[in-house]
Amino acid sequence: VNWARNIFVRNAKLYELVLEGMWKAGEDEAMAIGAVLQDRGMTGCKVLDVPSGIGRIGIPLAQLGFSVAGLDFSSYLIDVARRKSKQFGVSKNASFYVGDMHKMKFEEGEFDCAINVFTSIGYESEKEDLEFLRGLRRVVKRGGLFFISGLRNRDYIITHASQNVYEESESLLVLDRYEFDVLRSRERGSWRFFLRAGGALRLAGEFPISIRIYSPHELVAMLEATDWKLSGVFQSFVTKSPFSTGSPVYSLLAEAV
Ligand SMILES: C[S@@+](CC[C@H](N)C(=O)[O-])C[C@H]1O[C@@H](n2cnc3c(N)ncnc32)[C@H](O)[C@@H]1O
Protein backbone atom coordinates (compact mmCIF):
# COMPACT_ATOMS: atom_id res chain seq x y z
CA VAL A 1 0.00 0.00 0.00
CA ASN A 2 1.52 3.33 -1.00
CA TRP A 3 1.43 6.26 1.39
CA ALA A 4 -1.55 7.95 -0.33
CA ARG A 5 -3.72 4.82 -0.08
CA ASN A 6 -2.66 4.38 3.52
CA ILE A 7 -3.90 7.80 4.55
CA PHE A 8 -6.77 8.53 2.13
CA VAL A 9 -8.22 5.00 1.84
CA ARG A 10 -7.21 3.02 4.94
CA ASN A 11 -7.47 5.97 7.30
CA ALA A 12 -10.12 7.91 5.40
CA LYS A 13 -12.27 8.44 8.50
CA LEU A 14 -9.49 10.49 10.04
CA TYR A 15 -8.74 12.38 6.82
CA GLU A 16 -12.45 13.21 6.46
CA LEU A 17 -12.02 15.48 9.50
CA VAL A 18 -9.38 17.52 7.64
CA LEU A 19 -11.66 18.05 4.65
CA GLU A 20 -14.70 18.73 6.87
CA GLY A 21 -12.73 21.45 8.67
CA MET A 22 -12.15 23.12 5.29
CA TRP A 23 -15.75 22.99 4.01
CA LYS A 24 -16.22 26.78 4.07
CA ALA A 25 -12.96 27.29 2.11
CA GLY A 26 -14.34 24.81 -0.46
CA GLU A 27 -17.47 26.93 -0.84
CA ASP A 28 -15.30 30.03 -1.44
CA GLU A 29 -13.28 28.12 -4.04
CA ALA A 30 -16.49 26.99 -5.78
CA MET A 31 -17.78 30.58 -5.87
CA ALA A 32 -14.52 31.79 -7.44
CA ILE A 33 -14.40 28.98 -10.03
CA GLY A 34 -18.13 29.36 -10.75
CA ALA A 35 -17.66 33.10 -11.38
CA VAL A 36 -14.91 32.47 -13.97
CA LEU A 37 -17.11 29.88 -15.71
CA GLN A 38 -20.07 32.27 -15.73
CA ASP A 39 -17.89 35.08 -17.16
CA ARG A 40 -16.94 32.74 -19.99
CA GLY A 41 -20.56 31.92 -20.75
CA MET A 42 -20.28 28.43 -19.24
CA THR A 43 -23.11 28.73 -16.71
CA GLY A 44 -24.39 25.30 -15.66
CA CYS A 45 -21.72 23.39 -17.63
CA LYS A 46 -20.46 19.85 -16.88
CA VAL A 47 -17.61 19.84 -14.36
CA LEU A 48 -15.33 16.95 -13.35
CA ASP A 49 -13.97 17.34 -9.81
CA VAL A 50 -10.92 15.09 -9.51
CA PRO A 51 -9.97 14.03 -6.92
CA SER A 52 -13.19 15.10 -5.24
CA GLY A 53 -12.71 13.91 -1.64
CA ILE A 54 -15.98 14.57 0.21
CA GLY A 55 -17.23 16.97 -2.49
CA ARG A 56 -15.98 20.10 -0.73
CA ILE A 57 -15.93 22.04 -4.03
CA GLY A 58 -18.13 19.84 -6.26
CA ILE A 59 -21.19 20.05 -4.02
CA PRO A 60 -21.14 23.88 -3.72
CA LEU A 61 -20.62 24.03 -7.53
CA ALA A 62 -23.72 21.85 -7.94
CA GLN A 63 -25.56 24.25 -5.62
CA LEU A 64 -24.56 27.03 -8.05
CA GLY A 65 -26.28 25.09 -10.87
CA PHE A 66 -23.33 23.24 -12.41
CA SER A 67 -23.59 19.58 -13.31
CA VAL A 68 -20.83 17.85 -11.36
CA ALA A 69 -19.14 14.45 -11.44
CA GLY A 70 -16.63 13.70 -8.69
CA LEU A 71 -13.99 10.97 -8.81
CA ASP A 72 -11.84 9.72 -5.94
CA PHE A 73 -10.17 6.41 -5.10
CA SER A 74 -11.40 6.47 -1.52
CA SER A 75 -14.77 4.71 -1.36
CA TYR A 76 -15.27 5.99 2.18
CA LEU A 77 -14.82 9.66 1.12
CA ILE A 78 -17.06 9.06 -1.92
CA ASP A 79 -19.79 7.68 0.38
CA VAL A 80 -19.51 10.84 2.46
CA ALA A 81 -19.78 12.96 -0.72
CA ARG A 82 -22.90 11.04 -1.85
CA ARG A 83 -24.51 11.49 1.55
CA LYS A 84 -23.70 15.19 1.56
CA SER A 85 -25.03 15.74 -1.95
CA LYS A 86 -28.40 14.38 -0.70
CA GLN A 87 -28.18 16.51 2.44
CA PHE A 88 -27.59 19.65 0.34
CA GLY A 89 -30.37 18.70 -2.11
CA VAL A 90 -28.10 18.41 -5.16
CA SER A 91 -27.96 14.63 -5.70
CA LYS A 92 -29.60 15.10 -9.16
CA ASN A 93 -26.72 17.23 -10.48
CA ALA A 94 -23.79 15.85 -8.47
CA SER A 95 -22.64 12.23 -8.90
CA PHE A 96 -19.64 10.68 -7.21
CA TYR A 97 -17.60 7.73 -8.46
CA VAL A 98 -14.87 5.56 -6.99
CA GLY A 99 -11.85 5.27 -9.27
CA ASP A 100 -8.19 6.02 -9.88
CA MET A 101 -7.46 9.49 -11.30
CA HIS A 102 -4.60 8.02 -13.33
CA LYS A 103 -6.97 5.70 -15.21
CA MET A 104 -10.04 7.75 -15.97
CA LYS A 105 -12.96 5.87 -17.46
CA PHE A 106 -15.22 8.72 -18.58
CA GLU A 107 -16.21 9.29 -22.21
CA GLU A 108 -14.08 11.35 -24.56
CA GLY A 109 -15.05 15.04 -24.40
CA GLU A 110 -17.71 14.37 -21.74
CA PHE A 111 -16.85 17.47 -19.66
CA ASP A 112 -16.62 21.22 -20.27
CA CYS A 113 -14.38 21.77 -17.31
CA ALA A 114 -12.24 19.95 -14.75
CA ILE A 115 -11.00 20.99 -11.32
CA ASN A 116 -8.14 19.67 -9.18
CA VAL A 117 -7.99 21.38 -5.80
CA PHE A 118 -5.72 21.37 -2.73
CA THR A 119 -2.38 19.74 -3.56
CA SER A 120 -4.11 16.91 -5.40
CA ILE A 121 -1.21 16.07 -7.69
CA GLY A 122 2.33 14.75 -7.12
CA TYR A 123 1.38 11.81 -4.89
CA GLU A 124 3.21 9.36 -7.13
CA SER A 125 5.77 10.04 -9.87
CA GLU A 126 5.81 12.51 -12.77
CA LYS A 127 4.81 9.62 -15.02
CA GLU A 128 1.50 9.21 -13.13
CA ASP A 129 0.91 12.97 -13.14
CA LEU A 130 1.41 13.04 -16.91
CA GLU A 131 -1.02 10.12 -17.23
CA PHE A 132 -3.52 12.06 -15.18
CA LEU A 133 -3.15 15.23 -17.30
CA ARG A 134 -3.39 13.21 -20.53
CA GLY A 135 -6.42 11.24 -19.32
CA LEU A 136 -8.10 14.41 -18.15
CA ARG A 137 -7.49 16.10 -21.49
CA ARG A 138 -9.24 13.19 -23.22
CA VAL A 139 -12.43 13.59 -21.18
CA VAL A 140 -12.58 17.42 -21.40
CA LYS A 141 -13.72 18.79 -24.73
CA ARG A 142 -11.58 21.12 -26.85
CA GLY A 143 -11.86 24.69 -25.55
CA GLY A 144 -12.79 23.38 -22.09
CA LEU A 145 -11.12 24.65 -18.92
CA PHE A 146 -8.99 23.09 -16.20
CA PHE A 147 -8.55 24.74 -12.80
CA ILE A 148 -5.62 23.48 -10.69
CA SER A 149 -5.78 25.15 -7.33
CA GLY A 150 -3.76 25.30 -4.13
CA LEU A 151 -0.47 23.79 -5.27
CA ARG A 152 2.57 24.27 -3.07
CA ASN A 153 5.15 26.39 -4.86
CA ARG A 154 8.60 24.81 -5.04
CA ASP A 155 10.24 28.17 -5.66
CA TYR A 156 8.86 29.35 -2.33
CA ILE A 157 9.68 26.17 -0.41
CA ILE A 158 13.37 26.14 -1.32
CA THR A 159 13.81 29.74 -0.16
CA HIS A 160 11.66 29.45 2.98
CA ALA A 161 12.85 26.20 4.52
CA SER A 162 10.48 25.03 7.24
CA GLN A 163 10.31 21.56 8.74
CA ASN A 164 7.14 21.88 10.76
CA VAL A 165 3.75 23.14 9.70
CA TYR A 166 0.48 22.66 11.54
CA GLU A 167 -3.15 22.97 10.56
CA GLU A 168 -5.98 23.25 13.03
CA SER A 169 -9.69 22.66 12.86
CA GLU A 170 -12.39 22.24 15.50
CA SER A 171 -11.79 18.54 16.04
CA LEU A 172 -8.23 18.11 14.87
CA LEU A 173 -4.68 19.35 14.85
CA VAL A 174 -2.40 18.05 12.08
CA LEU A 175 1.33 18.45 12.42
CA ASP A 176 3.23 18.12 9.12
CA ARG A 177 6.89 17.31 9.58
CA TYR A 178 8.98 17.08 6.48
CA GLU A 179 12.29 17.47 4.78
CA PHE A 180 12.57 18.77 1.29
CA ASP A 181 14.59 16.59 -1.08
CA VAL A 182 15.94 19.20 -3.51
CA LEU A 183 17.32 16.63 -5.93
CA ARG A 184 13.96 14.88 -6.37
CA SER A 185 11.81 17.92 -5.51
CA ARG A 186 9.80 15.85 -3.03
CA GLU A 187 8.52 16.65 0.38
CA ARG A 188 9.11 13.61 2.58
CA GLY A 189 7.99 13.29 6.14
CA SER A 190 4.82 12.57 8.03
CA TRP A 191 1.43 13.92 9.00
CA ARG A 192 0.62 13.44 12.66
CA PHE A 193 -3.06 13.65 13.57
CA PHE A 194 -4.10 14.77 17.03
CA LEU A 195 -7.76 14.58 18.03
CA ARG A 196 -9.10 17.06 20.53
CA ALA A 197 -10.41 15.52 23.73
CA GLY A 198 -11.63 18.33 25.96
CA GLY A 199 -8.60 20.54 26.54
CA ALA A 200 -6.14 17.77 25.62
CA LEU A 201 -4.83 16.40 22.35
CA ARG A 202 -4.68 12.66 21.63
CA LEU A 203 -2.34 11.29 18.98
CA ALA A 204 -4.60 9.39 16.56
CA GLY A 205 -2.00 8.37 14.01
CA GLU A 206 1.20 9.19 12.17
CA PHE A 207 1.38 8.67 8.42
CA PRO A 208 4.40 8.91 6.13
CA ILE A 209 4.04 11.16 3.09
CA SER A 210 6.08 11.81 -0.06
CA ILE A 211 4.83 14.51 -2.42
CA ARG A 212 6.40 15.70 -5.67
CA ILE A 213 6.38 19.50 -5.55
CA TYR A 214 6.34 21.30 -8.89
CA SER A 215 7.54 24.75 -9.83
CA PRO A 216 4.96 26.50 -11.97
CA HIS A 217 7.24 26.27 -15.04
CA GLU A 218 7.46 22.47 -14.65
CA LEU A 219 3.72 22.09 -14.47
CA VAL A 220 3.20 24.41 -17.43
CA ALA A 221 5.58 22.22 -19.47
CA MET A 222 3.61 19.11 -18.41
CA LEU A 223 0.32 20.77 -19.34
CA GLU A 224 1.68 21.75 -22.74
CA ALA A 225 2.99 18.23 -23.33
CA THR A 226 -0.52 16.87 -22.75
CA ASP A 227 -2.44 19.32 -25.00
CA TRP A 228 -3.40 21.95 -22.47
CA LYS A 229 -2.59 25.64 -22.96
CA LEU A 230 -1.89 27.95 -20.03
CA SER A 231 -4.58 30.58 -19.66
CA GLY A 232 -3.70 32.18 -16.30
CA VAL A 233 -1.65 31.88 -13.12
CA PHE A 234 -2.69 33.26 -9.73
CA GLN A 235 -1.70 32.88 -6.11
CA SER A 236 -5.34 31.94 -5.50
CA PHE A 237 -8.56 31.92 -7.53
CA VAL A 238 -10.42 33.11 -4.43
CA THR A 239 -8.41 36.27 -3.71
CA LYS A 240 -7.42 36.69 -7.40
CA SER A 241 -4.04 37.85 -6.07
CA PRO A 242 -1.28 37.75 -8.67
CA PHE A 243 1.33 35.01 -8.56
CA SER A 244 4.98 35.74 -7.78
CA THR A 245 7.93 33.47 -6.97
CA GLY A 246 7.29 34.48 -3.35
CA SER A 247 3.77 32.99 -3.37
CA PRO A 248 3.60 29.95 -1.05
CA VAL A 249 0.86 28.41 -3.18
CA TYR A 250 -0.36 28.90 -6.73
CA SER A 251 -3.24 28.09 -9.01
CA LEU A 252 -3.27 27.57 -12.76
CA LEU A 253 -6.01 27.90 -15.32
CA ALA A 254 -5.54 25.93 -18.54
CA GLU A 255 -7.55 25.46 -21.70
CA ALA A 256 -7.90 22.25 -23.70
CA VAL A 257 -6.38 22.64 -27.18
C1 LIG B 1 -5.82 16.64 -0.33
S1 LIG B 1 -7.27 15.70 -0.73
C2 LIG B 1 -8.17 16.87 -1.69
C3 LIG B 1 -9.60 16.48 -1.98
C4 LIG B 1 -10.44 17.55 -2.67
N1 LIG B 1 -9.85 17.96 -3.94
C5 LIG B 1 -10.57 18.76 -1.77
O1 LIG B 1 -9.93 19.78 -2.04
O2 LIG B 1 -11.34 18.69 -0.81
C6 LIG B 1 -6.61 14.56 -1.90
C7 LIG B 1 -7.62 13.56 -2.42
O3 LIG B 1 -7.02 12.80 -3.47
C8 LIG B 1 -7.55 11.49 -3.45
N2 LIG B 1 -6.60 10.66 -4.22
C9 LIG B 1 -5.27 10.48 -3.99
N3 LIG B 1 -4.73 9.69 -4.95
C10 LIG B 1 -5.74 9.37 -5.80
C11 LIG B 1 -5.80 8.59 -6.97
N4 LIG B 1 -4.74 7.95 -7.47
N5 LIG B 1 -6.99 8.48 -7.61
C12 LIG B 1 -8.10 9.10 -7.12
N6 LIG B 1 -8.10 9.85 -5.99
C13 LIG B 1 -6.93 9.99 -5.35
C14 LIG B 1 -7.64 11.20 -1.97
O4 LIG B 1 -8.51 10.14 -1.68
C15 LIG B 1 -8.12 12.55 -1.41
O5 LIG B 1 -9.52 12.60 -1.35
Side-chain angles (χ1 to χ4, degrees):
V1 173
N2 72 16
W3 74 264
R5 279 192 185 273
N6 184 36
I7 174 79
F8 299 124
V9 178
R10 280 199 182 167
N11 290 282
K13 229 175 165 166
L14 206 49
Y15 198 73
E16 175 193 3
L17 298 174
V18 173
L19 298 178
E20 271 291 355
M22 298 172 67
W23 188 265
K24 168 75 178 66
E27 289 176 334
D28 295 343
E29 192 81 42
M31 291 278 281
I33 291 173
V36 174
L37 290 171
Q38 272 152 9
D39 279 354
R40 297 202 179 209
M42 294 168 74
T43 308
C45 72
K46 283 189 83 173
V47 179
L48 174 61
D49 178 4
V50 55
S52 63
I54 61 171
R56 209 168 58 87
I57 302 94
I59 290 171
L61 276 174
Q63 288 178 293
L64 292 171
F66 293 93
S67 171
V68 177
L71 178 80
D72 200 287
F73 72 175
S74 170
S75 56
Y76 178 85
L77 296 178
I78 286 292
D79 280 344
V80 174
R82 287 179 181 148
R83 214 166 43 241
K84 279 181 169 291
S85 68
K86 285 202 189 98
Q87 229 175 314
F88 284 93
V90 293
S91 53
K92 283 212 173 67
N93 55 336
S95 309
F96 291 91
Y97 305 93
V98 179
D100 191 331
M101 64 196 271
H102 306 118
K103 298 183 196 101
M104 256 178 298
K105 298 222 165 65
F106 296 103
E107 297 294 317
E108 194 171 329
E110 192 177 332
F111 298 98
D112 305 294
C113 169
I115 66 171
N116 174 278
V117 178
F118 183 35
T119 321
S120 295
I121 203 162
Y123 295 154
E124 296 184 37
S125 70
E126 278 151 64
K127 181 173 157 280
E128 274 81 17
D129 287 331
L130 279 166
E131 268 164 26
F132 165 62
L133 296 175
R134 205 170 288 119
L136 195 66
R137 175 61 193 85
R138 190 184 64 78
V139 302
V140 172
K141 56 178 65 123
R142 187 179 297 226
L145 295 181
F146 178 28
F147 296 79
I148 314 177
S149 175
L151 285 170
R152 314 274 313 281
N153 177 15
R154 179 186 197 274
D155 299 340
Y156 176 88
I157 289 176
I158 57 170
T159 48
H160 296 73
S162 146
Q163 269 76 48
N164 293 311
V165 177
Y166 73 94
E167 293 147 38
E168 255 186 301
S169 70
E170 223 170 89
S171 54
L172 198 69
L173 183 137
V174 182
L175 182 62
D176 303 359
R177 294 205 302 181
Y178 63 85
E179 283 180 9
F180 191 68
D181 175 346
V182 278
L183 297 181
R184 305 270 181 272
S185 196
R186 292 193 85 91
E187 235 177 51
R188 296 183 216 278
S190 68
W191 292 339
R192 282 203 288 176
F193 286 67
F194 296 89
L195 289 171
R196 292 188 194 286
L201 291 168
R202 181 175 67 76
L203 180 65
E206 174 160 10
F207 308 98
I209 59 130
S210 168
I211 305 180
R212 172 68 163 92
I213 305 288
Y214 294 105
S215 294
H217 78 274
E218 289 179 296
L219 208 53
V220 169
M222 288 164 74
L223 285 167
E224 287 172 352
T226 51
D227 291 334
W228 294 96
K229 179 179 85 183
L230 184 68
S231 175
V233 53
F234 307 90
Q235 175 155 312
S236 139
F237 292 126
V238 175
T239 60
K240 295 188 188 67
S241 40
F243 168 77
S244 75
T245 46
S247 305
V249 290
Y250 66 103
S251 299
L252 298 178
L253 177 58
E255 194 181 313
V257 288

